[in-house]
Amino acid sequence: LRDRIGKENVIFVSGTDCYGSPIVESYRKLKESGEFSGSIEDFVRQNHESQKQTLSDYDISLNLFAASGLGDSKDIHAKVSAELMELWYKNGFLEKLVTSQFYDAKAEQFLNGRQVVGKCPVDKCQSDKAYADECSLGHQYMPADLIDPKSTLTGETPEMRDVANWYIDLTKFSDLLKKYVGELEESDDVRPLVSATIKEFMLPPILYVKNDFFETYEGLKAELPEHELDTEENKTSFSLIFKNLDDREAAKNLLNENGIRFRAGKTLVPFRLTGNIEWGVPAPVLDGEEGLTIWVWPESLWAPISFTKTYLKQQGAPDDEWKKYWMSEDAKVYQFIGQDNIYFYGIAEMAMFMATQGKDNLTTKPKDGQLTLPTLVANNHILFLNKKASSSGDIKPPMAEELLDYYSAEHLRAHFLSLGLSMKSVSFQPKPLNPTAGEKDADPVQKEGKLLSN
């Protein structure tokens, strides 16, 4: 883009997500083991500098690699976050919901997202790890639905206690998101992976019940909220399709009371914006709710706006210069993401950005003065040694800097281009890290890397 339209018209930003329960949990473990003695901000700074160096070693030509919790970008990000929350509140899109949160009575504290592990309640999910309200594959659910939860602090089964938090109800954007997906399917700029993944969450609220419980269901169906029954031959379960989330929740309670096991289908649910984790972006005081912080997933989605503002401030630009890049029909925003984050960027972010428009002006085609809906460039999964490697799973992928011990950045860049991640999930098998590779086996990275990079 710098070559095509001039580098003065392009800003390329990224940065470190400094907040969130994974960071708090990693810091806690290192602190308790004596492996790290500094503050959590020291820990974040160390991670940020390491990531910044790695990107530089790979010749990634960012205008700015910022950090949501450090330096100028910290203050700007906090201000942007408060302004957005206040705007959504003013526009009538914030909902205060009292929900149950995990509490470890033995440790005498509420548990953050990563301090609870269990099994994902979403049907057919193959995640190797599920947390309070999100599994390692990005599925969202209410905390009370997590199967067999355990506290990582004590190993005890936590209890549920009520807390109030702010949400955006994604179900209110259902029709608009369906229209948005339709537009994506007709666009040559967006890979089919994006629209296909978003459509998975456009289903009505569904419960999948094992066929073993069909007779019990027959005796209860008159007591269940209005629903549609769907049975198919050669399936191990039958489906109960409800009109709305409230009806599905009532049905879940009744099925639980009668010992009927079920799994919930993917659907739109309220998206949580705040929590009570101490290390987080402060949430503004709204409707008397004090002491809340903003959950990392929403605030990391608008962090690129904060980072754009930070970069322009460093260049001495006027305060409103960022609008030329984020609120102009003459500009486009591209976000480079992985497949497992499409839910957050393709659904939650789009709904949040639409919610800045006001209830009477909702559109999938923002005009001048409205926040642009970014174009998502999503890659499929890379599979490491034929198994999915996840930063939050048991199988860890090699770190980016570790690969540079064996290859140049150009070899890796050429190899990754050859893998066709825009089309399919692929296996990544660098010979030095493949325990089954023989001495005479070719190294696929060297082979393709040398061919394409000459």
Side-chain angles (χ1 to χ4, degrees), residues 40-56:
I40 192 166
E41 191 164 309
D42 295 331
F43 177 60
V44 166
R45 182 172 284 104
Q46 176 180 287
N47 289 332
H48 171 68
E49 293 300 331
S50 172
Q51 293 165 358
K52 187 176 181 180
Q53 183 61 52
T54 299
L55 285 164
S56 176

Side-chain angles (χ1 to χ4, degrees), residues 156-312:
E156 301 288 321
T157 299
E159 59 189 61
M160 305 300 290
R161 294 194 179 180
D162 287 348
V163 290
N165 275 300
W166 291 107
Y167 289 74
I168 281 187
D169 188 354
L170 297 182
T171 63
K172 292 181 177 176
F173 294 86
S174 178
D175 291 341
L176 206 57
L177 286 170
K178 286 175 183 174
K179 181 182 177 185
Y180 166 71
V181 172
E183 291 168 357
L184 291 185
E185 289 178 313
E186 296 175 5
S187 171
D188 294 330
D189 289 345
V190 183
R191 293 168 180 167
L193 169 68
V194 176
S195 55
T197 304
I198 294 174
K199 282 176 76 172
E200 291 178 7
F201 293 91
M202 295 288 109
L203 295 172
I206 299 175
L207 293 179
Y208 299 97
V209 184
K210 289 276 188 186
N211 288 336
D212 300 348
F213 296 99
F214 192 78
E215 283 189 23
T216 315
Y217 156 74
E218 285 278 286
L220 280 175
K221 66 180 181 182
E223 299 177 50
L224 289 167
E226 184 181 347
H227 64 280
E228 179 185 335
L229 172 65
D230 185 13
T231 58
E232 289 185 43
E233 285 188 32
N234 303 319
K235 285 271 184 96
T236 59
S237 63
F238 57 94
S239 306
L240 307 179
I241 305 167
F242 298 90
K243 289 186 174 180
N244 54 60
L245 277 178
D246 288 341
D247 284 352
R248 189 177 78 169
E249 288 303 303
K252 282 160 67 174
N253 291 335
L254 189 60
L255 295 181
N256 275 325
E257 288 169 9
N258 287 272
I260 298 178
R261 294 173 58 190
F262 57 84
R263 286 261 183 160
K266 296 178 185 177
T267 192
L268 296 179
V269 297
F271 186 65
R272 181 164 62 95
L273 297 179
T274 63
N276 55 14
I277 183 173
E278 186 176 344
W279 176 249
V281 178
V285 178
L286 301 170
D287 199 27
E289 292 298 331
E290 298 182 356
L292 297 176
T293 51
I294 301 173
W295 187 38
V296 66
W297 256 120
E299 52 96 350
S300 65
L301 295 172
W302 61 72
I305 300 175
S306 309
F307 297 162
T308 304
K309 285 188 168 187
T310 303
Y311 172 72
L312 290 168

Side-chain angles (χ1 to χ4, degrees), residues 59-110:
D59 301 321
I60 307 298
S61 54
L62 291 156
N63 289 91
L64 177 69
F65 185 69
S68 59
L70 301 171
D72 280 348
S73 51
K74 174 182 179 178
D75 298 332
I76 291 172
H77 187 53
K79 186 178 179 184
V80 170
S81 300
E83 288 172 349
L84 283 171
M85 290 279 291
E86 288 163 353
L87 181 58
W88 292 324
Y89 184 77
K90 175 187 170 187
N91 287 348
F93 285 114
L94 285 195
E95 254 189 279
K96 183 166 65 173
L97 297 178
V98 176
T99 59
S100 296
Q101 185 172 327
F102 291 107
Y103 183 85
D104 189 326
K106 189 173 181 180
E108 297 183 335
Q109 69 176 68
F110 281 103

Side-chain angles (χ1 to χ4, degrees), residues 409-444:
E410 283 306 313
H411 276 152
L412 289 163
R413 180 171 286 109
H415 179 60
F416 286 140
L417 283 169
S418 76
L419 293 179
L421 285 164
S422 63
M423 303 301 294
K424 61 187 184 301
S425 293
V426 297
S427 175
F428 175 49
Q429 296 186 312
K431 184 177 177 180
L433 301 174
N434 185 352
T436 65
E439 185 179 341
K440 294 184 179 179
D441 290 344
D443 186 335

Side-chain angles (χ1 to χ4, degrees), residues 5-51:
I5 65 173
K7 64 181 182 179
E8 70 278 5
N9 296 312
V10 179
I11 299 178
F12 184 19
V13 296
S14 186
T16 302
D17 289 336
C18 297
Y19 299 107
S21 52
I23 288 166
V24 174
E25 187 65 359
S26 297
Y27 173 71
R28 180 188 67 82
K29 289 177 179 177
L30 290 172
K31 191 85 169 174
E32 287 181 357
S33 67
E35 296 177 61
F36 194 85
S37 59
S39 67
I40 192 166
E41 191 164 309
D42 295 331
F43 177 60
V44 166
R45 182 172 284 104
Q46 176 180 287
N47 289 332
H48 171 68
E49 293 300 331
S50 172
Q51 293 165 358

